[in-house]
Amino acid sequence: MAVAPRFGGWLVAGRLVGIIVNLLSIPDYYDIALRDFGLLPGAVALARLAQRYHGKRQPS
């Protein structure tokens, strides 16, 4: 994710969704699923920011 956040952010978001679905199928792991659900918007936000600002130079 550090090398290519445009793709890594979406990869992490997809992985978190898979983990959430898996944890919801196991009783007594809802708290961990909720934690991962809280991390999901951060991964999506990073991916969207990286896509928006990819290739743009900062003014010096």
Side-chain angles (χ1 to χ4, degrees):
M1 194 158 103
V3 175
R6 287 189 310 153
F7 306 113
W10 292 116
L11 184 68
V12 169
R15 183 176 168 96
L16 283 171
V17 168
I19 292 170
I20 292 167
V21 169
N22 186 27
L23 288 172
L24 288 176
S25 67
I26 304 170
D28 297 330
Y29 285 96
Y30 302 123
D31 56 338
I32 300 171
L34 184 62
R35 178 204 63 190
D36 289 344
F37 184 75
L39 293 172
L40 183 60
V44 171
L46 175 67
R48 292 187 65 192
L49 281 169
Q51 282 182 340
R52 175 157 176 118
Y53 293 108
H54 176 71
K56 292 186 179 179
R57 299 257 179 204
Q58 294 292 329
S60 40

